[in-house]
Amino acid sequence: MTISDAGPPRRRLGSGLKLKLFAYALVAPVVLLILGLVAYPFFFAIWVSFTDMVIGSAGNFVGFKNFEYLAGTATFWAAIRNTIVIVLVSDALKLVIGLGLALLVHQNLPGRGLFRSFLMLPWAMPAFVAFLTWRVLYQPIGGGINLILNQTGLYTGTVDWLGTRNTAMASVIIASVWRGFPFWFISILAALQSVPKELYEAAIVDGANTWQRFWNVTIPSILPVIIVTTLLSSIWTANGFEHVWLLTAGGPSDATMVFPVLAYFGMQTQRIGEAAAVSVYMLPVLAILVLFATSLMMRREE
Amino acid sequence: MASLAEVASAAPANAGAAARRRVLTGRLLSYAALLIAVILVLFPIYWMLATSLKLPRDILRVPSLWPSRFSLANFEKLLADGQFLLSIRNSFIVASTVTVISVIISSFAAYSMVRFRYRFRGIIGRLILFAYLTPGSLLFIPLSIVMAQLKLGNSLTGLILVYLTFSLPLSTWLLQGYFRGVPRELEEQGMIDGLTRFGALLRITLPLSAPGLAAVAIFTFTGAWNELLFALVLTTSESVRTAPLALNYLITSDVLPWGPLMAGAAISSVPLMILYFVAQRFMVAGMTEGSVKG
């Protein structure tokens, strides 16, 4: 923290105590709302996951019963596997696509501003609109994807993209990448623009070719941004509800089931304790990601 | 770029021509790749609009890339009973109220965090960041219980309160960055001229951070406009449905009414698209500075 952040108390601007009270008064509403609407529900969720609570009853402490029950269901294991697959594959694709497009747009090409605007469009659409549109695109009859495949002669059959076990997951991931890559694209583009030109000039003097400059200058310079983006994007992807809910609702037969959708189903069956346990199961991994992201973001802020 | 400079400095004429050709090919390839990416990005958006403008019976019977007959029948059907308009209105109420509340109280908090030094400031900073990263999928169950206890379940007020869980931490986090850019000397000058501390915040810091406030307002509005999970869990009656919910219930019916669904999708995109085109610069700056999810 720098000194200009918060200078020494100045007498003429009011007494120290008054100033302190003022400072606390300004921050109090946000702190109280966060404590009441985030921190309390957070710990409450953990408590609920250890009870047999159903809608309309307070519930009793049952220890790890919910967790054991869940671990005995196939759906739970499907959710683990699918959540991991979706996070790894879709974020890897978003990274590659986002980085590639950012490098292309970063060149001194005429019209690059226009390309940037167009490439940002998926992100400017509401998420629910994006995924509903993909749902319609994937329809076996009248959907745009089959139509394109048929008309170009690439494939002549009719595929029920979301309704077939083999294709459902890939279909969810493609839609999720389509909607999510602009975040990577724009973060990386901003990072590229802030790499000092002198580094490249020095590398050229040292005789580095394009590929060497990319590996030894570009990548190290944008690595911090890539790491933060990876952490944030993984957290959001792992907790994303809309992409799966609106496309497949976890089906067909759990092929795309993920944690948030499973928790929502638990909620619908009114067994709140179990539903809460689903979310709490994600907590350890999530906590690690969040802690990493928090410390990186705090450090960058300073 | 760099390769051009490299070439111009040393290469003989022959190699220069070859290098120029290489640069030209590189450009063409870049344009080709970007063009393909743009087409892939635009196609779903095109499909949404095209489907919404097709005659309902053509969508299934005469699949085509281009609507053979344009029709507003889907829009008429969607809007006929007024339910969808009501949900758009609800979305507007919720998103605008959340935005106003969130921007006001988070700008106070961010100002306090940036300008003053006090105990717990570090902890509060962390609390805000943790709150920002705490996933809604963990909170929706307890929040639905809490809202029911507060008798705010199934109400727009409840939704507004719940949406503050993601909007407040984000706004506060982003605004801290913007406020740090306002020189404190300007405030001190104002205070010597007779402004109070609070006056300095309102008359000097906030106006100077206008682009930041605009970005934060847009992100908050967008987040509230997009939200589906909390709305799904917290509301039951049709009269308090938001736009995402109204469309969600269209797809949970037995037969997907594609035409009206895409008409609703198009209508729901309009407010955000307008915001995007008006304020693209702010949004990109805010997104890259504060790492904002869409």
Side-chain angles (χ1 to χ4, degrees):
Chain A
M1 259 147 258
T2 53
I3 298 185
S4 65
D5 250 344
R10 281 147 218 255
R11 200 146 277 283
R12 67 186 148 82
L13 301 179
S15 74
L17 180 69
K18 233 176 114 185
L19 210 58
K20 230 174 216 175
L21 283 177
F22 180 59
Y24 280 121
L26 284 181
V27 85
V30 166
V31 170
L32 290 177
L33 280 166
I34 287 180
L35 289 176
L37 291 171
V38 181
Y40 168 68
F42 175 85
F43 291 109
F44 188 43
I46 297 176
W47 156 250
V48 169
S49 71
F50 289 99
T51 69
D52 59 3
M53 189 182 283
V54 289
I55 285 181
S57 91
N60 311 300
F61 182 80
V62 295
F64 287 93
K65 223 185 93 200
N66 293 323
F67 295 90
E68 282 163 19
Y69 166 77
L70 279 172
T73 66
T75 306
F76 172 78
W77 293 102
I80 290 192
R81 204 185 51 239
N82 295 335
T83 305
I84 293 174
V85 169
I86 289 185
V87 170
L88 289 184
V89 177
S90 74
D91 281 305
L93 288 173
K94 286 177 209 171
L95 164 65
V96 172
I97 294 171
L99 177 63
L101 290 173
L103 287 169
L104 286 176
V105 171
H106 182 56
Q107 298 174 87
N108 213 354
L109 292 177
R112 59 185 182 164
L114 202 63
F115 281 113
R116 195 192 69 176
S117 306
F118 276 121
L119 292 173
M120 295 286 292
L121 276 177
W123 172 79
M125 286 177 94
F128 64 96
V129 167
F131 294 119
L132 285 174
T133 301
W134 275 93
R135 173 145 178 171
V136 171
L137 274 173
Y138 282 133
Q139 291 302 308
I141 298 165
I145 297 197
N146 280 332
L147 193 64
I148 292 260
L149 289 178
N150 291 341
Q151 293 204 341
T152 54
L154 287 171
Y155 186 80
T156 45
T158 302
V159 183
D160 185 1
W161 296 100
L162 297 171
T164 312
R165 280 192 65 93
N166 292 331
T167 54
M169 179 60 96
S171 305
V172 168
I173 288 175
I174 289 171
S176 165
V177 169
W178 182 87
R179 156 83 186 162
F181 87 85
F183 172 65
W184 291 79
F185 164 69
I186 207 69
S187 304
I188 295 174
L189 186 59
L192 286 175
Q193 281 162 355
S194 66
V195 180
K197 288 227 167 16
E198 296 78 44
L199 288 180
Y200 288 108
E201 284 157 15
I204 290 169
V205 170
D206 291 343
N209 62 30
T210 313
W211 185 245
Q212 286 167 329
R213 288 200 299 272
F214 175 71
W215 269 117
N216 298 320
V217 179
T218 308
I219 289 294
S221 307
I222 64 173
L223 198 59
V225 167
I226 289 184
I227 292 173
V228 171
T229 308
T230 307
L231 288 170
L232 291 178
S233 184
S234 309
I235 295 169
W236 296 330
T237 310
N239 291 289
F241 171 76
E242 284 96 344
H243 58 301
V244 171
W245 175 253
L246 293 174
L247 286 170
T248 62
S253 53
D254 290 344
T256 57
M257 181 58 72
V258 291
F259 275 97
V261 174
L262 186 59
Y264 176 69
F265 277 129
M267 208 44 206
Q268 275 190 325
T269 58
Q270 318 226 325
R271 288 152 74 165
I272 309 174
E274 259 166 52
V278 173
S279 305
V280 172
Y281 254 122
M282 289 187 74
L283 205 53
V285 178
L286 217 60
I288 294 170
L289 290 176
V290 169
L291 281 171
F292 263 122
T294 311
S295 64
L296 281 175
M297 287 167 83
M298 294 289 271
R299 206 180 308 154
R300 269 177 52 180
E301 192 75 346
E302 278 157 19
Chain B
M1 253 187 65
S3 58
L4 266 178
E6 178 186 22
V7 166
S9 62
N14 228 0
R20 227 170 293 130
R21 217 168 27 241
R22 216 176 57 215
V23 169
L24 200 68
T25 332
R27 272 199 173 185
L28 282 177
L29 285 176
S30 299
Y31 276 122
L34 284 171
L35 211 60
I36 291 170
V38 167
I39 290 170
L40 290 176
V41 156
L42 288 182
F43 182 68
I45 301 173
Y46 166 75
W47 193 254
M48 170 180 85
L49 293 173
T51 307
S52 74
L53 293 170
K54 283 177 184 174
L55 270 177
R57 61 167 188 274
D58 284 354
I59 293 174
L60 287 170
R61 285 187 210 152
V62 197
S64 62
L65 288 179
W66 182 256
S68 51
R69 272 162 297 182
F70 285 92
S71 137
L72 291 175
N74 294 317
F75 288 89
E76 281 159 17
K77 199 170 165 198
L78 178 78
L79 300 176
D81 63 355
Q83 276 308 323
F84 187 73
L85 281 179
L86 181 67
S87 72
I88 289 275
R89 191 198 68 134
N90 287 340
S91 273
F92 261 112
I93 293 174
V94 171
S96 329
T97 314
V98 169
T99 305
V100 171
I101 296 177
S102 195
V103 168
I104 292 174
I105 66 178
S106 67
S107 61
F108 291 168
Y111 181 81
S112 168
M113 303 273 297
V114 167
R115 277 294 181 263
F116 304 110
R117 170 168 286 179
Y118 44 85
R119 257 181 94 188
F120 307 124
R121 204 189 59 153
I123 298 174
I124 293 173
R126 251 164 220 283
L127 177 77
I128 288 166
L129 200 47
F130 276 129
Y132 170 45
L133 296 174
T134 303
S137 64
L138 191 72
L139 298 179
F140 77 92
I141 294 165
L143 276 174
S144 73
I145 302 172
V146 172
M147 287 300 135
Q149 283 166 348
L150 293 173
K151 304 254 178 293
L152 289 173
N154 200 25
S155 71
L156 295 182
T157 316
L159 276 188
I160 290 167
L161 209 53
V162 164
Y163 287 1
L164 290 174
T165 61
F166 57 81
S167 71
L168 282 179
L170 171 65
S171 310
T172 313
W173 169 253
L174 282 180
L175 284 174
Q176 285 182 54
Y178 286 105
F179 288 173
R180 243 177 238 130
V182 177
R184 64 186 288 130
E185 289 73 26
L186 287 175
E187 281 173 31
E188 279 159 10
Q189 197 57 49
M191 283 187 271
I192 290 167
D193 292 346
L195 283 179
T196 59
R197 260 276 168 199
F198 196 60
L201 160 63
L202 292 185
R203 308 274 288 272
I204 295 167
T205 311
L206 289 185
L208 285 174
S209 318
L213 292 171
V216 168
I218 292 168
F219 286 129
T220 308
F221 189 90
T222 307
W225 191 264
N226 281 341
E227 210 289 323
L228 175 63
L229 180 57
F230 288 143
L232 210 48
V233 175
L234 285 168
T235 60
T236 45
S237 49
E238 225 171 324
S239 60
V240 291
R241 273 183 193 165
T242 55
L245 266 189
L247 295 184
N248 173 71
Y249 285 111
L250 280 185
I251 62 160
T252 44
S253 58
D254 285 341
V255 184
L256 263 145
W258 298 2
L261 191 63
M262 290 297 95
I267 294 173
S268 315
S269 312
V270 170
L272 295 196
M273 287 295 175
I274 292 174
L275 281 178
Y276 173 77
F277 278 108
V278 172
Q280 209 196 118
R281 253 176 332 126
F282 301 146
M283 290 174 84
V284 170
M287 187 177 174
T288 51
E289 270 166 45
S291 298
V292 182
K293 89 178 126 171

